[in-house]
Amino acid sequence: MDVKQLKAIVTVAEVGSVTRAAELLHLVQPAVTRQIRTLEQELGVELFERTGQGMRPTGAGAIMVDRARRALNELERARAEVRPTPGKVAGIVTVGLLESTSDLLAEPLVTAIARDHPGIELRLMTAYSGHLQQWLDDGDLDLTLLYNLNSTPSLNALPLARERLWAVAPAAAGLRADRPVTFAETAEHPLVMPTSGHALRSLIDAAATRAESAMNVVVQTNSMRVQKRLVLAGHGWTVLPGIGIAEDVARGTLSAAPLSEPDVWRSIVLVTPRAGRTPPGVEVVARELVHQVNSAVTEGRWPSARLRGAEAPAGLE
């Protein structure tokens, strides 16, 4: 098994065609076919099946493609780290950002790293907390922001900040930052909710239990942007962190008020794997991400958030 074979099976899986894969790899088609067949003979299983839509990985092939992609990524990272760059930190760092924080943190993080550490190549992934944790567990992320997670034997979790959850409604509802809304009142409306199993939904479900309120969930989605669009279209209210709706409230397209009875907070943490060596590039990016979170909170750009141990700021402004 060699690198050329790994590149061949990953490329064929991505494009679904040996001919197209050969073009991308700058090889002739028989060479790509030979690399795949040689690997199949070594493993004793078929990796691809031909269909009307092209080449599709078998069950065994899907496993090999996934592992091969990770192996190639690790080799690419190693080359970037050991390439001679005296006095400079270099390498590829893949960062996970909560979807609600991406607009606030992505550009400043990229700007700072490009300015201070041009040898680092950043790769940014955004999603809900549950997806990001799975990607971290699978080795697809070097570090990520998550929420409501404690350190475990396999993960380091550094608490950074806490932020309040808000009831969000169409502008006509007239919700205001200085007038908290009880969970019971929020639950009287049709609700657009995150899908079950997501960490944000778990927080909301726990609050409903404490408030002894039954929720009328009319639709579930795994996208914060879809949540807001459905609220804007009049399908119901929703619950989101302040950072996710600050601009919408400022534009007057949505209205929002902090939840009360009970108050609902989420804890933002920076998470890294415990196992293995931490590359210098990952350490540099982790420090910069912590700095960006601290700056966003202290400068008031992260609504209703407070740093760990700090007093809560005024509401959504």
Side-chain angles (χ1 to χ4, degrees), residues 25-305:
L25 295 170
H26 305 291
L27 298 171
V28 295
Q29 180 178 335
V32 176
T33 301
R34 184 169 57 253
Q35 288 168 350
I36 293 174
R37 286 179 178 170
T38 301
L39 187 55
E40 288 177 329
Q41 292 170 358
E42 178 181 342
L43 296 172
V45 295
E46 290 188 356
L47 299 177
F48 291 92
E49 58 181 351
R50 294 184 179 276
T51 70
Q53 289 72 44
M55 298 282 283
R56 183 174 64 186
T58 62
I63 294 172
M64 276 302 301
V65 168
D66 180 60
R67 299 297 184 182
R69 184 179 288 113
R70 294 182 189 177
L72 292 171
N73 285 339
E74 285 300 309
L75 288 173
E76 185 179 359
R77 287 161 54 99
R79 278 194 289 266
E81 288 179 30
V82 302
R83 191 174 295 126
T85 50
K88 294 183 179 180
V89 178
I92 299 168
V93 180
T94 306
V95 182
L97 295 177
L98 294 162
E99 183 184 5
S100 57
T101 69
S102 60
D103 288 346
L104 180 66
L105 298 175
E107 191 279 329
L109 178 65
V110 170
T111 297
I113 294 299
R115 179 191 65 229
D116 300 333
H117 302 281
I120 293 177
E121 177 186 331
L122 277 181
R123 297 179 179 178
L124 303 182
M125 309 282 284
T126 65
Y128 272 173
S129 187
H131 289 145
L132 293 173
Q133 184 173 351
Q134 183 62 57
W135 295 341
L136 186 70
D137 291 340
D138 290 344
D140 296 326
L141 295 176
D142 296 307
L143 68 156
T144 186
L145 293 181
L146 298 176
Y147 57 90
N148 289 15
L149 184 76
N150 297 319
S151 293
T152 69
S154 62
L155 298 174
N156 286 312
L158 175 65
L160 299 181
R162 297 174 68 234
E163 67 171 329
R164 198 169 185 177
L165 297 191
W166 294 60
V168 182
L175 299 185
R176 290 173 44 174
D178 59 349
R179 295 180 181 174
V181 173
T182 66
F183 196 97
E185 180 182 346
T186 302
E188 292 175 356
H189 298 268
L191 293 174
V192 178
M193 286 285 106
T195 52
S196 298
H198 284 295
L200 184 61
R201 178 62 182 274
S202 298
L203 277 177
I204 298 168
D205 288 345
T209 299
R210 295 200 301 275
E212 299 182 347
S213 299
M215 295 189 295
N216 176 23
V217 179
V218 294
V219 63
Q220 301 181 51
T221 174
N222 65 351
S223 167
M224 183 183 70
R225 287 178 171 81
V226 173
Q227 278 180 259
K228 293 192 293 184
R229 289 183 66 87
L230 291 175
V231 171
L232 184 62
H235 291 281
W237 289 23
T238 192
V239 175
L240 286 169
I243 191 176
I245 41 92
E247 291 186 3
D248 304 274
V249 172
R251 289 195 301 265
T253 56
L254 294 173
S255 63
L259 279 174
S260 64
E261 298 180 28
D263 296 355
V264 187
W265 294 79
R266 69 173 184 172
S267 177
I268 308 296
V269 296
L270 175 65
V271 184
T272 55
R274 285 187 186 273
R277 162 186 165 274
T278 302
V282 174
E283 294 179 351
V284 164
V285 174
R287 286 196 296 270
E288 184 58 40
L289 185 54
V290 170
H291 172 71
Q292 293 299 333
V293 170
N294 290 343
S295 296
V297 174
T298 57
E299 294 170 8
R301 293 182 286 113
W302 193 319
S304 74

